[in-house]
């Protein structure tokens, strides 16, 4: 980041792991990264190329696919976003922000086979949200203020989630990325 800012007239406002960006499973996929770049001395030309935006990495043997990713220009003064193609060029005007999220990897194996301690560590580390831990891993927390599990309710929820046979590979159809749909305004 420091080298980019020294070489080019831009400010990297944010560069961090994108929570919930990967597929989940016994082994979670590698998380994607989020970046926010602001031009600070005039307009900024950008050239993009990417993969996995519309067709994210698959989940395998019960794992889920990643969320996809993409880029948009946040037109701050206008309160709107312009989404960019994975292979495009654009101009980011001074005062606007370039925002990008790279797709994480797909999950492998059933999320219910991931040890609860590892899921809790992922939540504590901010890699996955409590909501994702509840939805896919079956965690039920004793209260909203702590990460203490209600062990009986968690066991029952995980049993409920374990019903049925997951697909060998997920997804099996194109254009299943969720990031773009969630980011559009």
């Amino acid at each position: 980041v420091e080298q980019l800012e020294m070489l080019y007239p831009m400010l990297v406002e944010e560069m961090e792991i994108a929570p919930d960006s990967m597929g989940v499973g016994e082994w979670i996929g590698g998380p994607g990264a989020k970046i926010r770049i602001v031009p600070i001395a005039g307009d900024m030309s950008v050239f993009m190329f990417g993969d996995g935006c519309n067709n994210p990495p698959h989940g395998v043997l019960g794992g889920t696919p990643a969320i996809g990713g993409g880029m948009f220009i946040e037109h701050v003064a206008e309160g709107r976003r312009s989404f960019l193609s994975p292979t495009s060029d654009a101009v980011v005007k001074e005062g606007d922000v370039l925002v990008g999220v790279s797709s994480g990897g797909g999950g492998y194996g059933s999320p219910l086979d991931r040890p609860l301690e590892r899921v809790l560590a992922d939540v504590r580390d901010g890699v996955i949200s409590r909501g994702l831990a509840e939805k896919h891993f079956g965690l039920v927390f004793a209260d909203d203020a702590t990460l203490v599990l209600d062990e009986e309710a968690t066991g029952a929820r995980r049993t409920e989630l374990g019903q049925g046979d997951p697909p060998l590979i997920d997804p099996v159809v194109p254009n299943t990325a969720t990031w773009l749909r969630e980011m559009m305004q």
Side-chain angles (χ1 to χ4, degrees), residues 12 30 47-48 52 86 133 142 154 171 177 179 183:
V12 178
F47 302 90
M48 282 125 343
T154 294
W179 181 87
M183 290 295 114

Side-chain angles (χ1 to χ4, degrees), residues 40-58:
I40 57 174
D43 298 346
M44 176 175 68
S45 294
V46 293
F47 302 90
M48 282 125 343
F49 57 93
D51 193 15
C53 295
N54 295 320
N55 299 300
H58 291 79

